[in-house]
Amino acid sequence: MELYCPQRTSQRIILHLDMDSFYASVEMQDRPEIRGKPVVIGADPKNGKGRGVVSTCSYEARAFGIRSAMPISQAYILCPQAIFLPPDISRYIQVSAEVIAILRSYGFVLQQVSIDEAFLDVSRLGSFTAARELSVTIKKTILARLGLSCSIGAGPGKVVAKIASDFNKPDGLTVVEPDDVKAFLAPLPVRKIPGIGKKSESELFELGIRTIGDLAAYDIQALVARFGQGAVCLHDIALGIDTSEVEERDGIKSLSRETTFDTDTSDPQVISVTMDTLAEDVHRSLVAENLRCKTLTVKVRYQGFVTKTKARTLSHFTDDGRIIKSCAHTLLLELTDGKKIRLLGFRLSSFDKGVTRQTTLPCDQTQNRFS
Ligand code: TTP
Ligand code: MG
């Protein structure tokens, strides 16, 4: 996820909404018989031998220690009696659009940042009390119309709002008023700052920085010397300075799928059929999103984890499944030379702005990130 780099402007009230265990909740809403049970969305566990990953799981499954991006085989060990379901991305896109339509109906500037989260700039409400009331209304409306729960965070900036929405999940509502921002952030681990991943976290640990409070107290010059100018943004965020705007912008950047083979393979037939399935799946999402694309990328992870990608940009936008499939196979040919393959991925990007809707997808059926 991107780091929201602050610019200094006036005080605002920002809401961040994030749906709870989104894919799993949609499935539980659609199938009453699995409600209240541990539900895992992701690759086929194949009695513990499956090699893909967990997309997400219900909070009942989280009680067993299951988490997004965990190997599905590990999820199976933790809770073999869980209900394992494959992702139905088209259905989730549809529900996502319904959530966004509800949010839009309140008439505030809205920025959708993934399939299940969005920022709203509600500054014109004028008070955090009014923002809390609106948040309660939004939560009730989404629950009544879609049967789904969400968590909302409110704060004077996007980062605080996002951290706040995650603070008390599921079904949370956390309002952080300007005077409370520093105290709210200080005890939280630095990892809670959007954009800080494992690597940055361990680099900060090396400096003895574990909490956002530690980061706020650290000498800015020393941080810049170590991490470059990007550290200024980070330090500002830790100090609660964050005035980046909620931007209505084309959310969708790419659509992709990837799959891990049960066993590494160099069988051209297996690889080709898998490429077909991936291309068909991504094409279905493209059509569901009413988009046309220009850039196609194939990704191959070989045995031993070396990963390569090949991309092609077409001269015209297309939503033609045959063109997409044929291009996918041409790119695949450039990447296959008899070596065994562990994972195959396919991505569409460079969408036609004319028809682009406000949607961003976590890009994968088995993994969230195409990297
Ligand atoms: P998240 O909002 O990160 O997770 P979530 O909605 O399932 O659960 P939470 O209550 O903690 O918000 O992601 C939204 C959806 O994106 C999620 O339902 C499935 C998908 N996703 C993946 O496919 N792979 C991943 O690694 C992650 C994190 C999410
Ligand atoms: Mg969510």
Side-chain angles (χ1 to χ4, degrees):
M1 128 138 248
E2 79 195 87
L3 190 66
Y4 299 105
C5 192
Q7 307 137 24
R8 290 154 209 271
T9 54
S10 61
Q11 184 73 68
R12 293 140 319 128
I13 307 173
I14 310 296
L15 301 187
H16 179 263
L17 176 142
D18 189 297
M19 301 302 292
D20 298 326
S21 55
F22 185 52
Y23 294 4
S25 300
V26 172
E27 295 294 349
M28 291 195 286
Q29 179 56 18
D30 289 351
R31 310 170 192 225
E33 69 279 9
I34 64 170
R35 285 182 203 161
K37 298 195 172 157
V39 173
V40 179
I41 311 297
D44 184 346
K46 299 187 176 165
N47 293 321
K49 296 198 178 87
R51 302 209 316 158
V53 296
V54 173
S55 296
T56 193
C57 60
S58 64
Y59 278 80
E60 291 82 357
R62 292 181 201 197
F64 290 86
I66 302 175
R67 295 288 181 272
S68 288
M70 171 183 278
I72 201 80
S73 52
Q74 195 183 341
Y76 188 83
I77 292 168
L78 290 168
C79 186
Q81 75 274 25
I83 291 152
F84 290 88
L85 296 172
D88 179 356
I89 305 285
S90 312
R91 173 74 185 129
Y92 311 143
I93 290 174
Q94 199 184 2
V95 178
S96 170
E98 290 172 34
V99 171
I100 297 302
I102 292 173
L103 293 179
R104 282 205 182 285
S105 71
Y106 297 95
F108 295 98
V109 174
L110 180 151
Q111 180 181 350
Q112 183 172 3
V113 282
S114 83
I115 196 167
D116 83 329
E117 57 176 321
F119 289 105
L120 291 174
D121 185 334
V122 301
S123 309
R124 74 174 143 82
L125 288 176
S127 78
F128 277 86
T129 308
R132 179 186 288 277
E133 281 165 15
L134 174 68
S135 303
V136 170
T137 306
I138 290 173
K139 280 164 64 69
K140 278 188 185 155
T141 307
I142 292 177
L143 187 62
R145 298 221 193 127
L146 306 176
L148 298 173
S149 74
C150 66
S151 298
I152 298 183
K158 286 165 82 175
V159 174
V160 171
K162 185 169 167 67
I163 295 174
S165 74
D166 185 55
F167 190 69
N168 197 16
K169 262 184 167 290
D171 198 18
L173 171 54
T174 305
V175 178
V176 186
E177 300 211 19
D179 287 348
D180 303 329
V181 168
K182 270 197 192 167
F184 171 72
L185 293 176
L188 301 175
V190 279
R191 190 73 187 270
K192 292 282 177 190
I193 298 177
I196 299 224
K198 256 190 204 155
K199 192 161 168 263
S200 314
E201 183 187 42
S202 62
E203 283 173 354
L204 289 167
F205 276 13
E206 280 171 25
L207 300 179
I209 300 172
R210 292 191 174 264
T211 65
I212 301 181
D214 294 339
L215 182 60
Y218 210 86
D219 177 52
I220 180 63
Q221 300 305 337
L223 283 175
V224 169
R226 173 82 188 245
F227 300 108
Q229 281 305 315
V232 177
C233 271
L234 209 58
H235 197 244
D236 275 356
I237 284 168
L239 290 168
I241 302 166
D242 168 21
T243 54
S244 58
E245 302 283 336
V246 175
E247 288 168 357
E248 293 266 359
R249 63 181 176 197
D250 297 335
I252 198 156
K253 295 281 191 319
S254 69
L255 290 167
S256 65
R257 301 279 185 278
E258 59 186 44
T259 194
T260 307
F261 292 107
D262 289 341
T263 47
D264 298 345
T265 182
S266 54
D267 183 337
Q269 178 73 15
V270 173
I271 295 169
S272 171
V273 169
T274 306
M275 189 75 257
D276 275 348
T277 310
L278 293 173
E280 281 161 16
D281 270 9
V282 184
H283 175 249
R284 212 172 298 126
S285 296
L286 186 79
V287 172
E289 280 296 329
N290 193 23
L291 293 169
R292 293 185 302 155
C293 68
K294 230 178 184 180
T295 304
L296 301 90
T297 308
V298 170
K299 166 176 159 184
V300 173
R301 177 167 296 148
Y302 303 95
Q303 194 167 46
F305 258 77
V306 172
T307 307
K308 286 191 179 161
T309 59
K310 280 269 176 205
R312 166 164 305 172
T313 298
L314 307 171
S315 53
H316 296 98
F317 289 106
T318 188
D319 60 1
D320 185 327
R322 285 162 306 177
I323 296 176
I324 288 171
K325 222 186 224 183
S326 129
C327 189
H329 281 279
T330 310
L331 291 167
L332 177 65
L333 264 183
E334 296 176 31
L335 288 165
T336 43
D337 56 0
K339 267 191 249 156
K340 283 200 170 177
I341 292 177
R342 176 182 172 86
L343 172 150
L344 192 58
F346 184 53
R347 175 175 60 192
L348 300 177
S349 54
S350 311
F351 297 118
D352 187 346
K353 291 276 186 294
V355 291
T356 296
R357 291 208 316 242
Q358 302 284 327
T359 308
T360 307
L361 268 185
C363 42
D364 211 303
Q365 61 177 7
T366 55
Q367 255 177 251
N368 195 25
R369 283 173 189 89
F370 193 103
S371 55

